Amino acid sequence: MTERPAVPGDSSFGNSALEPTLEARSAARWVGWRRQLLLLLAVAAGLGLFGLMRWVAASPSLDIVLLAGPSGPPSILATSIAALEPMTGRAPIALRNADGQEVLVDAQLLERSPRWQVDDAARLRLTAQQEALATVLAGHEVFIEFRNGVEIPVLARPRGIGGLGLLFWPLAALALTLYLVGAAVLLARPQARNLLYLTVSLSQAATLLFVAVGSMRGLGLPSGFATVEPIVRMALDLATGAAVVHAFTLHPRPLPYRLAIAAAAWLPVLLLPALAHAGTLVHAWWCTLGGGRRRRCWRRGWRRWRPSAGPTASKPTRSLRCCCGWARSASSPSRSSRWAWARPPAAPARPVRSQPRGR
């Protein structure tokens, strides 16, 4: 039996079966650590969601469905309160508690989210009206005043799990799914792009939770919710736009002056909500809308300025497809080649002419 001659730099230990075993054990240990951390994050998210549900379910409310008419105050469409069933179809004027605090019932009271009020004065008025309603309902004994001097005393009871409504559950589940997907992407490959993906996921998940709380049935929101909601949702929208702009400076290839571009994108996220909380921001709706418009302007400028992109390069898609591309490239390195929407098309192959052989 002849032995194979030794080759310089060759090692029989490197080709043994021990090295793949060690690599598999280290990889399994690393994957297990990530799974444990993901499990802890899932448990923490579940506990946080349970705390939110408990806080919302404990808030007082009135199980009354109001219907806004073409003119005049809204009328009672349906209710589960026995004392108010004879007043179905009539319009209440005001709600008052035992301390004399009252809130007028008008069409604006049906609006749950001050976030969608374009006018600053209308947004402040709706916020004050919702907070006044929460204060009136906190006294538990509420007097509902109708026309002709009719007053009916009712009790504002805790909303309970059944008062969350049918839309609350799928929105909460979708928010939890977004959170877990963002965490899994970041743990699969920890890098700056996936951290930005996690930022977008968390922002959208928090927005879904705000929508879920605002979709509850009955009159009344938790105390302080109407004050916090427009400012926090402004910050979430601005953070989503800043993360998308920051991602375009890193993916698919780093751009020059990317730090300056990212700083300019993240500055409104810190500045505008602080000014809105202080009450010095004028036209907050348009400022938030302008923060969302910068993503579209950045994509248009990026298509013209990105390096190594010809005039026939395919157009970049929206931020959702960008996030999906990060997730696919993070889960499988071999799929990163499919993320080629910013890559110039390959040149067509030249035909090869056959050369005649000489005789």
Side-chain angles (χ1 to χ4, degrees):
M1 180 177 180
T2 59
E3 296 183 356
R4 183 174 58 90
V7 180
D10 188 9
S11 175
S12 60
F13 181 76
N15 297 328
S16 64
L18 180 61
E19 183 178 0
T21 304
L22 294 176
E23 292 180 356
R25 289 181 179 178
S26 62
R29 188 183 303 111
W30 177 245
V31 171
W33 176 81
R34 294 183 183 184
R35 289 179 180 176
Q36 292 177 2
L37 183 56
L38 183 61
L39 180 60
L40 291 178
L41 293 177
V43 171
L47 292 177
L49 185 59
F50 177 75
L52 176 65
M53 292 167 49
R54 185 177 180 182
W55 173 64
V56 174
S59 61
S61 65
L62 291 177
D63 192 7
I64 300 175
V65 179
L66 297 179
L67 178 63
S71 60
S75 58
I76 298 178
L77 178 63
T79 179
S80 62
I81 304 175
L84 292 179
E85 289 181 356
M87 309 302 294
T88 302
R90 301 186 60 178
I93 300 177
L95 304 177
R96 180 173 50 85
N97 60 3
D99 298 333
Q101 298 174 340
E102 68 175 10
V103 57
L104 299 179
V105 178
D106 52 7
Q108 192 176 12
L109 190 63
L110 303 180
E111 299 289 337
R112 294 295 189 90
S113 177
R115 162 74 173 83
W116 301 108
Q117 297 296 323
V118 179
D119 186 56
D120 293 339
R123 186 184 311 108
L124 294 176
R125 186 166 57 252
L126 177 58
T127 302
Q129 191 176 23
Q130 289 293 338
E131 293 298 334
L133 178 60
T135 303
V136 169
L137 296 179
H140 298 290
E141 186 178 7
V142 181
F143 298 90
I144 302 179
E145 181 181 355
F146 293 87
R147 297 184 184 275
N148 302 327
V150 178
E151 281 190 358
I152 298 179
V154 295
L155 292 179
R157 303 181 183 275
R159 189 182 304 274
I161 299 297
L164 298 180
L166 297 178
L167 192 58
F168 181 89
W169 304 103
L171 290 176
L174 184 57
L176 182 61
T177 304
L178 278 176
Y179 166 77
L180 293 179
V181 168
V185 168
L186 182 61
L187 290 177
R189 183 177 296 180
Q191 56 183 355
R193 292 178 297 174
N194 293 338
L195 182 61
L196 295 174
Y197 178 81
L198 177 62
T199 303
V200 175
S201 300
L202 291 179
S203 300
Q204 298 304 311
T207 302
L208 286 175
L209 290 180
F210 275 103
V211 176
V213 174
S215 65
M216 297 182 303
R217 52 182 293 183
L219 282 181
L221 293 173
S223 179
F225 178 81
T227 304
V228 173
E229 191 251 2
I231 301 177
V232 176
R233 290 192 64 178
M234 174 193 293
L236 294 175
D237 292 342
L238 293 175
T240 301
V244 172
V245 172
H246 194 175
F248 274 113
T249 63
L250 300 175
H251 190 82
R253 57 177 62 87
L255 297 181
Y257 308 105
R258 55 185 177 274
L259 295 180
I261 297 173
W266 286 103
L267 182 60
V269 182
L270 303 176
L271 185 60
L272 294 183
L275 295 177
H277 179 69
T280 58
L281 182 63
V282 183
H283 304 299
W285 165 268
W286 299 108
C287 292
T288 308
L289 187 62
R293 291 280 185 178
R294 61 183 171 173
R295 288 179 292 177
R296 183 180 302 176
C297 298
W298 168 252
R299 286 197 298 266
R300 291 178 179 177
W302 185 82
R303 285 201 299 264
R304 299 180 180 179
W305 187 55
R306 66 182 184 269
S308 303
T312 58
S314 57
K315 299 180 181 181
T317 57
R318 299 187 181 275
S319 59
L320 181 61
R321 185 178 176 185
C322 183
C323 296
C324 295
W326 298 334
R328 288 183 298 179
S329 62
S331 60
S332 177
S334 62
R335 294 187 179 183
S336 60
S337 59
R338 300 182 183 180
W339 184 250
W341 47 263
R343 190 179 303 167
R350 297 181 179 180
V352 180
R353 298 180 180 179
S354 59
Q355 298 292 338
R357 296 182 178 180
R359 296 180 181 178

